[in-house]
Amino acid sequence: MTAKKTLSHTLGFPRMGAHRELKLALEQHWKGDIDAAALEAVGADLRARHWVIQREAGLDFVTVGDFAFYDHVANQIQLLGCEPARFGFGGDEPVLSRYFAMARGVQVDAEHTCGLACNHGNTSEGSEGETALEMTKWFDTNYHYLVPEFSSTTQFKLASHRLFEEVDQALQAGHPVKAVLLGPLSFLWLGKEKEAGFDRFSLLEQLLPVYENILARLKAQGVQWVQIDEPILGLDLPDHWRHAFEPAYSRLARSAPPVLLATYFSPLQENLRLACQLPVAGLHVDAVRAPEELTGVADWLPSHKVLSVGIVDGRNIWRTDPDAALARLRPVADKHQGALWIAPSCSLLHVPYSLQAEATLDPEIKSWLAFAVEKLGELQTLKAVLNDDAASVQAALAEARSACAARRSSPRVHRADVALRLARTTADDDRRASAFPQRQAVQAERFALPLLPTTTIGSFPQTADIRAARAAFKRGQLDEASYRQKMQAEITLAVRKQEAIGLDVLVHGEAERNDMVEYFGEQLAGFTFTTNGWVQSYGSRCVKPPVIYGDVSRPAAMTVAWTTYAQSLTPLPMKGMLTGPITILQWSFVRDDQPRSSTAQQIAWAIRDEVLDLERAGIGIIQIDEPAIREGLPLRRAGWKAYLEWATRAFRVSASGVADRTQIHTHMCYSEFNDILPEIAAMDADVITIETSRSGMELLRGFGDFKYPNEIGPGVYDIHSPRVPSVHEMINLIQKAAGVVPIENLWVNPDCGLKTRGWPETEAALLNMMTATKLLRQKLAPNSQPKATEDS
Ligand code: GLN
Ligand code: ZN
């Protein structure tokens, strides 16, 4: 009797390269420094190297089709021949230039402001020409894909040879190939209708023949497997979408090589049996996000099918505990009669490339981590053990065991003082002393702000000069005193400009912050930073998330010196600026040894300490930014309530230590907030500033209907473009806002921080904003009588 052999594979690999070679090449190409052929050569070289790494780690296939010059969904749009007609492509333009036209728009490409994560959809827009495809978050990751556009005139045809060429490249290099495609249902689901009344689901019938064609081609080329990703099986789907899987896959199976249907990111739940019974040769499940479903899958999956278990976390950077993984895998191997494969839970696109480049990371913490390359090594170890060849991986196994044991018991991770403090918290810690109406009265008296108070969101233009000073200080080329002087000069400049513009509540400008999460992470205990831990956010943009490895606390004040310096320059109220606990959590790699909610509470207490220090130092208005609160929502609606409860509690804990007379602001941007308005209200900030201007204040209607109880500053101009909006435009927006929000609760401010803008347009836009506000103050003042005409 021969024991069955476990195989290993990966759902995808990071594209950028060990040193972000792809980013570099892309940006050179866009500048015109290298031509398309040179860019293609960089791509081919990266693929070749990544396949070698996969083979060297003993994977049984290389994965082909996960590479993209910008985004894999954009690749699929070209493969399926459904580039939107609005781009007016004639068909003879080079494929790559059409590709970048869709990705980046035909004219100008607008910038981001929000630092680290660039977490917004809708990031590109042309002032003329054709705007780029909309960009939005890939499920609950920080990767952004380009949104396919559909209408009744959309047609599909096999239109790009890129995938087949890449398959040839891999075959010629002698690799066994598993090609990967985004499945037809997920592809349609992730797109958007561009025509009123049209339902993209109706395109399925037309789309399937093209998939059949693609699969037949791949089969003829000699690929061994095709991995078809249908991550939407982990979402709450309407019935007609669920019911479409069976017939669609029956049809595809006819022409296809063996198909591995891949699901990931969330539990299959009501789709579990459906996924197990589809007419495909294998199923991949995410055993990190849904370990509880493994037994059910092993029960339901027919014995002739391959079961691929995503056992290594593709979304986080922790080393896999081999014993825990084996304990999970062994019963499945026994139960499932058919073949067993092991893999990362999802594509490794979402983790950095390799730890090899981390020369300065604390060696002990480093030993607790695994990036993409190391995760492939983990698969190799697990596979050897499962295949009764543990002897060949003895050293790797021992090293992993001792690192995981050390992490479990390390006092750097588990701190008694933090635990004690959290244990002492009471139910009241997340409640302000008085309800909003009382606070509002006290604050109105204290600050005596005019009707329609004006402010900004926090950051002012980060000039090349500022960035150079910060970098020099970091490298040790600028001493502390000179650095402080330089930053103080920037603060002074920002304060004087704000006074000249006439703003009511000032900010210090955030010149000292390179990023709104990193700045705090660097000063909090329990965080560490990599030097090369880049993860693709969109296109050539990468982010380097902090790593939260241990209990979080705040050893010393983080912002008080800068803020009080700024306050010392002016009699006007100076707003203290902090990043909120959920945004810090969302934009970091977080611990996997305790619930996210626990980490959020720890960060909340650290931020609360800072809030109280600011208050003690005389700062009367404090803003706690939470732009990422919505993106933490679980993929399944059933999980929303629990998340929102702990997330809003974390915010309130951070904000509620202050007296009634201290005014707490929060800021949110670039999400759909209408479906979580009660929870936003439950955060109980005295003032919320929020992005609204792009949608023509659509968002605000939600706030009006819901009767948002506290004060609110809807953004009256879009900071993502250098365009200076007119006084007239802003008057219109403020008036619209005044139609739905009681005027005495209304603030006036831009949409978001101004760090990516230059000073000239910033000053011009803010001046127009002030002019608009002043005109409206005269017009709208609740008790201003219309002036009687003196004489006639
Ligand atoms: N205070 C931050 C800034 O102005 C807020 C950024 C954000 O909303 N992401 O830059
Ligand atoms: Zn913002």
Side-chain angles (χ1 to χ4, degrees):
M1 183 185 111
T2 57
K4 68 181 180 193
K5 283 267 180 243
T6 298
L7 305 190
S8 61
H9 72 121
T10 181
L11 272 59
F13 195 76
R15 303 161 183 155
M16 284 292 149
H19 307 287
R20 285 181 295 159
E21 294 89 328
L22 183 58
K23 175 190 176 68
L24 194 76
L26 280 169
E27 289 170 3
Q28 285 175 333
H29 177 65
W30 293 335
K31 265 197 286 181
D33 293 349
I34 64 171
D35 63 10
L39 179 63
E40 291 283 4
V42 171
D45 181 52
L46 285 170
R47 289 193 298 272
R49 279 195 267 157
H50 297 166
W51 293 330
V52 169
I53 290 170
Q54 292 169 39
R55 294 294 287 153
E56 282 174 350
L59 298 196
D60 292 278
F61 318 98
V62 298
T63 300
V64 180
D66 57 341
F67 181 81
F69 280 112
Y70 202 97
D71 163 45
H72 57 276
V73 181
N75 280 26
Q76 190 100 359
I77 291 172
Q78 286 202 320
L79 174 64
L80 299 169
C82 57
E83 295 163 339
R86 66 183 176 89
F87 288 97
F89 298 137
D92 38 3
E93 304 88 347
V95 185
L96 205 56
S97 64
R98 299 206 308 260
Y99 183 77
F100 290 133
M102 288 194 299
R104 311 179 68 228
V106 179
Q107 290 277 320
V108 243
D109 198 32
E111 296 161 72
H112 268 290
T113 182
C114 286
L116 173 81
C118 297
N119 268 309
H120 314 142
N122 292 323
T123 44
S124 322
E125 50 177 355
S127 59
E128 279 166 64
E130 213 41 67
T131 58
L133 293 181
E134 193 184 310
M135 211 168 0
T136 198
K137 285 164 79 62
W138 176 248
F139 297 84
D140 59 352
T141 72
N142 271 327
Y143 174 83
H144 300 74
Y145 72 94
L146 293 167
V147 181
E149 296 180 1
F150 299 125
S151 72
S152 56
T153 58
T154 299
Q155 293 200 336
F156 302 102
K157 60 171 185 297
L158 204 174
S160 157
H161 299 284
R162 187 173 288 285
L163 175 64
F164 311 111
E165 286 160 10
E166 292 178 4
V167 166
D168 270 336
Q169 185 196 349
L171 289 170
Q172 270 164 31
H175 301 306
V177 171
K178 180 194 65 179
V180 50
L181 287 171
L182 180 57
L185 284 139
S186 291
F187 180 71
L188 288 178
W189 179 266
L190 293 169
K192 217 173 171 177
E193 288 96 356
K194 290 287 157 177
E195 184 183 323
F198 179 70
D199 179 0
R200 63 198 188 285
F201 180 77
S202 66
L203 293 171
L204 183 61
E205 274 307 297
Q206 269 197 61
L207 180 57
L208 290 176
V210 185
Y211 269 87
E212 285 183 88
N213 195 353
I214 294 167
L215 290 166
R217 288 256 217 142
L218 289 170
K219 187 175 186 176
Q221 275 186 298
V223 307
Q224 305 198 354
W225 279 84
V226 179
Q227 167 192 326
I228 304 189
D229 287 5
E230 290 283 12
I232 66 166
L233 282 167
L235 304 182
D236 302 320
L237 291 179
D239 280 343
H240 63 292
W241 283 80
R242 301 182 57 215
H243 296 149
F245 274 88
E246 218 286 324
Y249 278 86
S250 299
R251 194 161 156 186
L252 297 187
R254 290 199 297 247
S255 51
V259 169
L260 177 78
L261 188 88
T263 65
Y264 40 84
F265 296 153
S266 67
L268 292 167
Q269 292 177 3
E270 72 283 8
N271 296 327
L272 188 146
R273 283 172 61 178
L274 169 70
C276 288
Q277 290 171 344
L278 286 176
V280 290
L283 175 68
H284 171 87
V285 293
D286 183 336
V288 175
R289 284 284 174 93
E292 70 286 355
E293 287 189 340
L294 256 187
T295 316
V297 171
D299 279 340
W300 280 101
L301 195 70
S303 58
H304 63 275
K305 290 191 187 180
V306 168
L307 171 55
S308 165
V309 179
I311 191 71
V312 167
D313 194 348
R315 294 288 299 276
N316 213 331
I317 39 70
W318 303 105
R319 188 168 204 157
T320 305
D321 177 340
D323 297 311
L326 289 165
R328 216 168 253 179
L329 288 166
R330 282 214 158 100
V332 181
D334 290 344
K335 194 164 207 164
H336 179 62
Q337 300 296 302
L340 180 70
W341 293 8
I342 56 171
S345 56
C346 58
S347 170
L348 294 172
L349 180 65
H350 310 290
V351 293
Y353 184 87
S354 167
L355 280 170
Q356 275 150 31
E358 299 301 330
T360 54
L361 199 60
D362 175 286
E364 186 181 19
I365 295 173
K366 189 172 166 182
S367 76
W368 300 342
L369 305 180
F371 293 173
V373 170
E374 292 77 30
K375 283 173 191 284
L376 297 185
E378 296 182 328
L379 289 174
Q380 189 162 28
T381 305
L382 293 172
K383 183 167 86 169
V385 177
L386 289 168
N387 288 338
D388 294 325
D389 186 18
S392 70
V393 291
Q394 231 18 274
L397 209 52
E399 194 191 313
R401 283 184 175 135
S402 81
C404 290
R407 181 180 163 217
R408 267 194 303 274
S409 61
S410 169
R412 301 172 72 182
V413 175
H414 310 277
R415 289 184 29 202
D417 55 337
V418 176
L420 201 63
R421 182 169 189 197
L422 260 79
R424 287 208 186 108
T425 63
T426 71
D428 275 355
D429 290 330
D430 71 338
R431 270 213 300 269
R432 297 284 296 268
S434 309
F436 175 70
Q438 282 105 289
R439 305 195 310 259
Q440 189 176 32
V442 181
Q443 291 164 19
E445 200 181 308
R446 175 175 183 191
F447 300 112
L449 295 169
L451 183 72
L452 299 174
T454 54
T455 190
T456 60
I457 306 305
S459 57
F460 273 117
Q462 294 233 332
T463 55
D465 198 34
I466 293 179
R467 277 179 277 140
R470 257 195 338 246
F473 176 55
K474 241 193 166 151
R475 280 197 305 268
Q477 288 159 348
L478 190 67
D479 63 64
E480 168 126 35
S482 322
Y483 174 70
R484 191 178 332 113
Q485 241 171 36
K486 170 76 189 148
M487 291 299 123
Q488 289 184 341
E490 293 297 336
I491 291 172
T492 309
L493 178 91
V495 169
R496 295 296 168 244
K497 283 188 191 284
Q498 292 172 84
E499 286 176 331
I501 291 164
L503 291 158
D504 302 298
V505 173
L506 310 196
V507 296
H508 78 289
E510 301 180 24
E512 78 287 5
R513 301 182 195 176
N514 146 54
D515 174 275
M516 65 185 291
V517 170
E518 191 173 278
Y519 179 78
F520 292 94
E522 279 175 344
Q523 302 182 73
L524 291 168
F527 283 70
T528 193
F529 291 83
T530 64
T531 46
N532 203 45
W534 297 102
V535 177
Q536 187 178 10
S537 170
Y538 69 96
S540 67
R541 297 279 194 122
C542 300
V543 297
K544 194 155 61 66
V547 174
I548 306 179
Y549 68 87
D551 287 343
V552 176
S553 70
R554 189 205 62 149
M558 304 182 284
T559 63
V560 176
W562 300 123
T563 314
T564 50
Y565 175 76
Q567 183 67 85
S568 75
L569 302 171
T570 178
L572 294 169
M574 178 60 56
K575 184 160 65 163
M577 301 298 313
L578 303 174
T579 302
I582 302 302
T583 299
I584 293 179
L585 182 82
Q586 253 335 98
W587 294 353
S588 301
F589 282 120
V590 297
R591 291 170 65 171
D592 62 351
D593 58 347
Q594 67 179 20
R596 296 170 77 79
S597 56
S598 308
T599 306
Q601 292 300 324
Q602 293 179 356
I603 305 170
W605 282 92
I607 299 297
R608 181 183 174 111
D609 290 344
E610 186 71 12
V611 169
L612 289 173
D613 274 353
L614 284 168
E615 183 184 53
R616 264 192 291 275
I619 301 300
I621 304 183
I622 300 163
Q623 177 169 314
I624 307 171
D625 289 325
E626 285 290 22
I629 196 141
R630 193 185 190 285
E631 56 185 68
L633 281 176
L635 291 168
R636 296 263 194 180
R637 265 224 184 227
W640 283 25
K641 191 165 171 281
Y643 162 76
L644 286 165
E645 258 164 34
W646 64 253
T648 56
R649 174 168 161 89
F651 176 85
R652 288 193 308 270
V653 164
S654 72
S656 295
V658 295
D660 288 353
R661 64 196 296 269
T662 298
Q663 188 171 68
I664 298 289
H665 289 217
T666 188
H667 165 72
M668 291 179 197
C669 48
Y670 304 98
S671 293
E672 170 62 57
F673 291 113
N674 281 344
D675 49 2
I676 58 166
L677 286 179
E679 289 80 11
I680 292 178
M683 289 165 69
D684 199 26
D686 297 304
V687 182
I688 182 171
T689 58
I690 193 159
E691 183 269 354
T692 40
S693 75
R694 273 204 224 200
S695 58
M697 298 261 160
E698 217 170 88
L699 186 81
L700 203 60
R701 212 155 304 136
F703 276 78
D705 292 346
F706 166 72
K707 302 223 179 320
Y708 181 76
N710 301 7
E711 297 182 21
I712 174 167
V716 298
Y717 82 86
D718 175 15
I719 55 80
H720 288 85
S721 107
R723 194 177 146 270
V724 175
S726 68
V727 173
H728 180 73
E729 268 172 66
M730 288 194 265
I731 287 187
N732 268 339
L733 288 177
I734 302 168
Q735 272 176 326
K736 257 195 194 170
V740 289
V741 173
I743 184 108
E744 51 303 341
N745 283 355
L746 202 56
W747 286 63
V748 175
N749 45 262
D751 258 359
C752 193
L754 295 157
K755 71 193 239 185
T756 56
R757 294 273 60 86
W759 271 114
E761 72 261 20
T762 296
E763 290 185 89
L766 290 176
L767 276 168
N768 283 358
M769 183 180 97
M770 277 315 304
T771 307
T773 306
K774 285 177 186 156
L775 285 167
L776 282 170
R777 277 178 187 160
Q778 286 167 8
K779 195 169 152 208
L780 297 175
N783 24 9
S784 78
Q785 302 295 323
K787 272 222 176 81
T789 5
E790 309 275 86
D791 40 31
S792 50

